Structure formats: C-alpha cells, structure tokens
Amino acid sequence: MKRRSFIKNSSLTALSISAFGSIQWNGKSFVGDTPTTTDILGPFYRPGAPMRSDIIPPDSKGIPMNLTGTIFKEDGKTPLDNVHVEIWQCDENEHYDNTSDSFLFRGAIKTEKNGKYAFKTIVPVPYKADPNNDESWRPAHIHMRVSVADQQDLITQIYFKGDKYNDTDTSASSPQAVNRILEIVKNSSGEHSVTFDVVLSKEFPLDQEVYNKITGLYRMDSNSTLEFIKRDDLLFMKRNGQLIASFNYIGNNTFESGRGSLKVTFELLPKGDAKVVVTTRDNTYTGEKFLKYSDG
C-alpha cells in the first residue's frame, strides 16, 4: 500500500459503518469493533474553542446538564488518554455564538488515563435552521469532535430521546444515528445527565505530500469558490470563509462527510494542478484549483 499516492480501489479503507453497531457491555467493559458513527459538521463549527469543561455562561437560564463518557480505541474496550474532545451547541434561545471572543457554549478538554471526559453544559433545545421555513426545525443536539494520534478523527452529533423533531430531521432520522439518540436521566444529586461513550476507528493517514496537492482554492462551475484545508487527519471544506463540512478519506481518491451525504473526489493533474468533483444527494459540481498553498 503506497502512502505517497491515493489508494486505488481500496475497500479495506472505506470504513463502512454498521448502522446499529456491535459494541456491547459484557459486565466489565465494552467489547466490539464497530466505531461510533459520524455526522455532519454543520455550519457553526469554530476552531480554537477554549480548554474548559464548564461551558455554561454565568447568565445562562438553561437547564444544567452533565455530559460524560469514555473514549475507546477501535477495539471498543481500551480507553484512550490525552484525547482532544471538543463540543459546541446552541444556547437556550436557539442561537449559536459564531463571532464573540467568549466562544459561548463551546469548549474542549483532554481525556484522563481512563479515557473519561466530562462537560458541564445545558439541556440543548431545538432550533429552526431557516427562520422563514417551519419545516427546517432541527432537534436538540450537541456537536462533538474527537481527535487523537493514530485514530481517525471523529465528527459527530448526539440527539435526545423524545424530541419531536428526531423523525423529521435528515441527520437524526438516519439509521446511523440510532445509537446516538440518548436518554437524559437524573443522577443521585438530581442533576440532568447523559452518557455518551465513543469508539474511534483506526486511522488510515495520507502523506502530507498528497494533502499539499489537493488543498487550496477551487473555482467551481456553479460560479462559487470552495477552499479545502487540512487539520489533523481531516479535510475541511470552506465556503465564503466559513467551515461547512469535514471529510474522512475512504479510498479511490475520495473523501466523505458524515453519513455519506457529501463526497469530494480529486483528480491530480500535471504541474501540481487538481480537479475536484463535489457530489451531494441531488447535484454534482466540478471545479479546478486556481490557488495552491506552499508545501511549508
């Protein structure tokens, strides 16, 4: 397997994910080999969230909630330490903080040796993605990004049982989300709590040389401009300066976003040029790179 070029026709690296998973609790530990499923990045991700476990602003009127869990290796039973776990969500008024220096309702921590993480946040609320569209309601959810060396970065979302919008939301109603629809319970102190354990998948990295060839600005046939950048072992897509999607490499020159709803396929050309094909559920767009980044 040559890491200095895209892996051709590689079903072994496709990371096909079972919809219902096979992680089980045997009385002592989680066992299994099915990774936690991915989800869309969403339009409100902001890099650089501060390191803090309590993300509730002092003036919040939301219902406090504990979000805890353990991060496991791909075997489903070996806890991982020093994992970067990042979460973000809207406030109790259905708003995301996209601009302030306070990074409201955003935070990140590193797991301990036992793989555990814990955040203090609020019970999220549904919100209308399009204020003028009554059919655009998204169920309450929390976004999560999990990053650590030698394991594939994970972008996912967690949802909550009983939310009336779960069945009408494209992401929450996906079969891949079934194990990410969680129950909020009250702990012994009467606090709202939810537990979400994560099983990462094995990383199949590409050399930096390959990323150098595909990252840059692309002029699309839809008269728009897309930018592709690399962070950790994920490829991110930006439009109008905003991160809108993240991708895992799945082989055959192709990267895939959460739930497979969006794919990008690159064609490497002479002299460092590249083409891209972006495939959504409904359309296909093509583009050519017109600005590449230096290898440094």
Side-chain angles (χ1 to χ4, degrees), residues 26-44:
N26 67 4
K28 295 182 180 180
S29 63
F30 285 94
V31 294
D33 59 3
T34 302
T36 299
T37 52
T38 62
D39 209 323
I40 58 174
L41 177 69
F44 302 122

Side-chain angles (χ1 to χ4, degrees), residues 18-277:
S18 166
F20 297 97
S22 62
I23 304 300
Q24 296 180 349
W25 178 257
N26 67 4
K28 295 182 180 180
S29 63
F30 285 94
V31 294
D33 59 3
T34 302
T36 299
T37 52
T38 62
D39 209 323
I40 58 174
L41 177 69
F44 302 122
Y45 176 64
R46 292 181 64 190
M51 299 297 293
R52 60 187 177 197
S53 60
D54 188 340
I55 67 170
I56 307 177
D59 59 350
S60 173
K61 301 298 191 297
I63 302 171
M65 183 181 77
N66 300 301
L67 170 61
T68 60
T70 305
I71 310 296
F72 295 99
K73 291 183 66 173
E74 72 274 5
D75 60 8
K77 59 184 178 181
T78 305
L80 283 167
D81 65 344
N82 204 38
V83 179
H84 187 85
V85 183
E86 181 180 357
I87 66 170
W88 65 100
Q89 68 180 82
C90 70
D91 62 20
E92 65 271 25
N93 298 311
E94 307 174 17
H95 297 140
Y96 281 88
D97 175 16
N98 299 319
T99 57
S100 85
D101 293 336
S102 299
F103 281 79
L104 302 177
F105 288 102
R106 300 172 185 269
I109 61 171
K110 297 282 189 178
T111 59
E112 303 170 359
K113 290 185 177 181
N114 58 8
K116 294 189 178 300
Y117 71 90
F119 287 97
K120 189 80 171 182
T121 182
I122 65 169
V123 176
V125 298
Y127 67 87
K128 193 185 294 187
D130 181 352
N132 300 314
N133 184 357
D134 288 334
E135 297 182 356
S136 69
W137 280 95
R138 291 224 64 208
H141 60 277
I142 296 176
H143 296 266
M144 179 178 287
R145 180 182 177 188
V146 184
S147 309
V148 69
D150 300 323
Q151 303 285 151
Q152 179 63 46
D153 282 14
L154 174 71
I155 300 275
T156 196
Q157 298 180 38
I158 59 175
Y159 305 96
F160 303 94
K161 292 183 178 180
D163 193 303
K164 65 180 182 179
Y165 298 111
N166 282 342
D167 292 339
T168 57
D169 180 77
T170 303
S171 295
S173 62
S174 166
Q176 288 192 351
V178 67
N179 286 336
R180 294 185 278 108
I181 300 177
L182 309 177
E183 184 176 3
I184 300 175
V185 300
K186 288 190 177 181
N187 61 20
S188 58
S189 301
E191 300 172 320
H192 289 76
S193 300
V194 65
T195 301
F196 180 53
D197 294 329
V198 172
V199 179
L200 296 176
S201 58
K202 191 65 178 176
E203 178 186 12
F204 292 91
L206 290 174
D207 271 6
Q208 182 61 42
E209 179 183 337
V210 177
Y211 283 105
N212 289 342
K213 292 179 179 178
I214 64 175
T215 52
L217 285 167
Y218 288 74
R219 185 174 290 110
M220 308 301 293
D221 56 10
S222 57
N223 295 320
S224 64
T225 300
L226 295 179
E227 180 181 10
F228 292 93
I229 62 174
K230 176 182 180 291
R231 286 202 174 110
D232 299 323
D233 59 358
L234 292 177
L235 185 71
F236 284 87
M237 183 169 72
K238 297 177 77 173
R239 185 175 61 206
N240 298 327
Q242 184 177 30
L243 291 168
I244 60 172
S246 64
F247 301 88
N248 296 331
Y249 179 58
I250 62 171
N252 198 27
N253 294 21
T254 300
F255 291 76
E256 183 179 80
S257 71
R259 298 185 294 103
S261 58
L262 184 64
K263 293 183 180 181
V264 292
T265 301
F266 294 91
E267 178 184 355
L268 303 183
L269 303 174
K271 300 181 181 180
D273 294 328
K275 291 183 178 181
V276 66
V277 176

